[in-house]
């Protein structure tokens, strides 16, 4: 297939692109390289890889690259609630309006696999399925949900992945993701104050996230399909305990006096995508081991979506 991947030099894209090439696809990446410009450098000699510096907020700049694509993976985004709070106008333009404009430029025959977020579930004590009403608590989740609605109107050849919080090493590393952040603090600070320690999250290794995209490229859905992707359940204290098993000198304390402004709290079922044959392979424990190895190479905490 001929695949167009916007934001393909980012945390997820830098893991996904080589998997797409290995699977035999032709891959074109559009990116502004705002977080660095070398995450895909090693693939420039690959005959089926192409890359262009393009701002995905500019429809005219994107249009020439759309017509030949069999599938479009719109990864370009300001990812995560904190950066959306810091840059609300940029986030609304890139995360919502530019994505919907992109959909309007595509033909009905082109497959779209859109990376949404499980943040759309907000705070929910029940196990969330794709049928659970979405009630996002953060702007990032609201913007992703609006694009999902546009994909629902588009209908056929439209897939939304409601993705769990990612973790793991990537050529374009991020330390502001929960597992990555807590593990970094365990290694560098040896201590951590935990807020809202019982708040649950669903986690997903970045390699498994990339594998989900590769897996679903063979689909041709007759209507918009939504899939939860991610099956590792853990609360913040449980995550600290998992890290402490591998970093025994790590100490953490749960704050009894301050609350976390982030009130998201949910667990999510990925049974629907597993029914298609997809299986995540990386455990939380294996991911922490990987991070501990990777952090021996990182000298500072500049690897983040936050300035």
């Amino acid at each position: 297939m001929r695949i167009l991947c916007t934001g393909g030099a980012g945390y997820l894209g830098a893991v996904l692109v080589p998997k797409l090439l290995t699977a035999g696809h032709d891959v074109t990446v559009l990116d502004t390289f705002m977080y660095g410009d070398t995450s895909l450098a090693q693939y420039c000699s690959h005959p089926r890889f192409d890359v262009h510096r393009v701002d995905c907020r500019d429809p005219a700049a994107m249009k020439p690259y759309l017509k030949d694509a069999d599938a479009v993976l719109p990864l370009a985004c300001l990812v995560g609630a904190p950066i959306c709070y810091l840059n609300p106008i940029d986030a609304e333009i890139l995360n919502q309006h530019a994505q919907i404009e992109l959909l309007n430029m595509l033909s009905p025959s082109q497959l779209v696999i859109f990376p949404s977020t499980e943040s759309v579930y907000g705070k929910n004590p029940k196990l969330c399925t794709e049928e659970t009403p979405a009630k996002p608590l953060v702007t990032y989740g609201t913007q992703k949900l609006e694009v999902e609605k546009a994909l629902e109107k588009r209908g056929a050849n439209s897939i939304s992945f409601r993705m769990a919080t990612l973790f793991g090493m990537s050529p374009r590393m991020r330390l502001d993701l929960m597992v990555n952040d807590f593990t970094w603090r365990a290694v560098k600070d040896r201590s951590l104050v935990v807020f809202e320690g019982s708040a649950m999250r669903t986690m997903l290794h970045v390699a498994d996230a990339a594998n989900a995209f590769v897996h679903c490229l063979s689909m041709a859905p007759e209507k918009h399909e939504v899939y939860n992707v991610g099956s590792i359940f853990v609360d913040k204290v449980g995550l600290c305990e998992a890290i402490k098993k591998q970093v025994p000198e790590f100490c953490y304390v749960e704050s009894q006096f301050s609350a976390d402004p982030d009130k998201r709290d949910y667990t999510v079922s990925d049974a629907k995508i597993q029914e298609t044959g997809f299986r995540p392979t990386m455990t939380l424990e294996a991911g922490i081991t990987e991070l501990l190895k990777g952090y021996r190479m990182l000298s500072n905490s500049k690897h983040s979506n936050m300035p």
Side-chain angles (χ1 to χ4, degrees), residues 38-277:
T38 60
S39 63
L40 297 174
Q42 63 181 308
Y43 306 108
C44 290
S45 62
H46 199 295
R48 285 185 279 101
F49 173 73
D50 198 9
V51 61
H52 301 274
R53 187 179 290 269
V54 172
D55 189 332
C56 295
R57 296 171 296 184
D58 183 351
M62 290 189 63
K63 192 171 183 178
Y65 305 102
L66 300 179
K67 57 184 176 62
D68 294 328
D70 300 309
V72 177
L73 314 181
L75 272 57
C77 184
L78 291 184
V79 180
I83 196 170
C84 291
Y85 283 129
L86 189 63
N87 302 286
I89 296 176
D90 289 341
E92 183 174 357
I93 293 172
L94 180 57
N95 295 2
Q96 182 175 330
H97 299 305
Q99 304 282 18
I100 294 173
E101 182 63 28
L102 168 62
L103 299 180
N104 291 336
M105 292 190 290
L106 298 178
S107 72
S109 64
Q110 291 174 295
L111 176 67
V112 178
I113 306 179
F114 172 66
S116 187
T117 173
E118 290 180 354
S119 291
V120 299
Y121 296 118
K123 185 173 184 177
N124 197 318
K126 298 180 180 180
L127 184 67
C128 299
T129 71
E130 290 82 359
E131 303 303 318
T132 300
K135 296 180 180 180
L137 298 177
V138 294
T139 302
Y140 176 65
T142 300
Q143 291 163 349
K144 290 288 191 178
L145 188 59
E146 289 302 313
V147 182
E148 283 192 32
K149 292 176 181 177
L151 283 163
E152 186 176 8
K153 292 180 180 178
R154 181 176 188 262
N157 290 315
S158 304
I159 296 173
S160 292
F161 284 162
R162 290 180 177 171
M163 301 179 71
T165 301
L166 300 186
F167 68 95
M169 292 299 297
S170 165
R172 196 260 114 171
M173 193 54 188
R174 285 184 61 188
L175 298 181
D176 54 321
L177 296 162
M178 184 177 289
V179 177
N180 296 359
D181 175 35
F182 281 24
T183 306
W184 175 263
R185 292 173 187 271
V187 170
K188 299 300 180 179
D189 301 334
R190 296 290 193 258
S191 62
L192 177 67
V193 177
V194 180
F195 300 94
E196 308 283 355
S198 62
M200 294 292 296
R201 290 287 194 281
T202 308
M203 305 294 180
L204 176 69
H205 193 277
V206 63
D208 283 327
N211 289 336
F213 281 89
V214 177
H215 173 77
C216 288
L217 282 171
S218 60
M219 295 183 178
E222 296 180 356
K223 62 180 181 65
H224 175 227
E225 292 287 355
V226 178
Y227 293 103
N228 294 329
V229 189
S231 59
I232 300 171
F233 302 158
V234 67
D235 62 20
K236 295 178 184 179
V237 168
L239 173 57
C240 289
E241 282 296 308
I243 296 169
K244 188 174 178 63
K245 288 180 180 179
Q246 300 192 48
V247 187
E249 60 272 30
F250 173 45
C251 296
Y252 66 91
V253 61
E254 186 175 1
S255 174
Q256 304 298 320
F257 305 103
S258 299
D260 191 335
D262 185 351
K263 300 299 182 184
R264 289 175 295 166
D265 185 359
Y266 48 78
T267 55
V268 178
S269 168
D270 68 344
K272 181 179 176 181
I273 194 169
Q274 292 214 28
E275 288 173 0
T276 71

